[in-house]
Amino acid sequence: EENQAEMTIYNSLLSEYGVLGYEYGYSLAQPIGLTIWEAQFGDFMNGAQIIIDQFITAGEDKWNVQSGLVMLLPHGYEGQGAEHSSARMERYLQSCGDLNMQLINPTTPANNYHALRRQLKRNFRKPLIVFSPKMLLRYPKAVSTMEDLATGSFQEVIDDPRNIHDTATNVVLCSGKVYYDFIAEAEERGVENMAFVR
């Protein structure tokens, strides 16, 4: 559209350290913009580990500056081999403290959208790390309705949509791709007493 907001996409060189450092700085200089660094594979963050440790996780505490930088890290073993699989989620979980950043593993497109939208709508900034299996980009059951996208907000907890509160004797807490694996297996085995909460 002629009057739509500007969107700029750059295909950067394979220097994660330099590029992520630039994006972090850009997110400070443009706090009202949505700055996203997307890694083709989750392990690309290995080359940028110093930026993550010294700036993204600790910048607000050290320099009293807020960054709304979003890092999209594909995560999961999906046939690309061990080196191109893990975004090292455990490293980020170990780096969390004093509300320094947000980590999510979204299960629905709507929740992913609302997480990105929330980055700009609230009156403070925190880095957002999104662990997103590539499989969910094409998975037929990982869909949201236009209503889900147009209304609502980011859901920290998504209840089992099958309305089995009266029959459930077990609850499984999970997120991301494994939710769909669990649902498929439960359907195949005829399991009806297990609720899957994301």
Side-chain angles (χ1 to χ4, degrees), residues 47-121:
Q49 193 64 49
I50 296 170
I51 298 296
I52 295 163
D53 291 343
Q54 297 298 315
F55 295 89
I56 294 171
T57 64
E60 184 176 3
D61 185 56
K62 291 195 287 191
W63 304 299
N64 200 28
V65 295
Q66 292 187 343
S67 168
L69 177 69
V70 176
M71 293 174 57
L72 302 180
L73 299 175
H75 179 79
Y77 293 95
E78 298 179 327
Q80 298 294 321
E83 186 60 23
H84 281 330
S85 298
S86 180
R88 307 289 193 265
M89 195 180 297
E90 64 280 3
R91 285 187 190 172
Y92 292 93
L93 291 169
Q94 291 170 346
S95 299
C96 288
D98 294 328
L99 304 175
N100 63 330
M101 62 182 167
Q102 316 152 88
L103 310 179
I104 66 169
N105 186 3
T107 312
T108 68
N111 224 25
N112 194 44
Y113 166 76
H114 287 299
L116 295 175
R117 183 176 180 272
R118 181 179 70 169
Q119 282 295 95
L120 295 176
K121 295 299 287 182

Side-chain angles (χ1 to χ4, degrees), residues 128-180:
L128 172 65
I129 317 303
V130 181
F131 299 97
S132 51
K134 288 186 174 187
M135 184 274 290
L136 293 186
L137 296 174
R138 299 172 299 278
Y139 193 63
K141 294 189 177 185
V143 296
S144 295
T145 66
M146 288 302 290
E147 182 71 16
D148 293 335
L149 293 164
T151 62
S153 61
F154 178 75
Q155 296 177 286
E156 293 184 4
V157 177
I158 302 175
D159 198 2
D160 193 313
R162 299 174 299 160
N163 292 324
I164 60 170
H165 296 105
D166 295 335
T167 59
T169 58
N170 297 294
V171 176
V172 176
L173 297 173
C174 58
S175 64
K177 175 186 172 194
V178 72
Y179 166 78
Y180 295 101

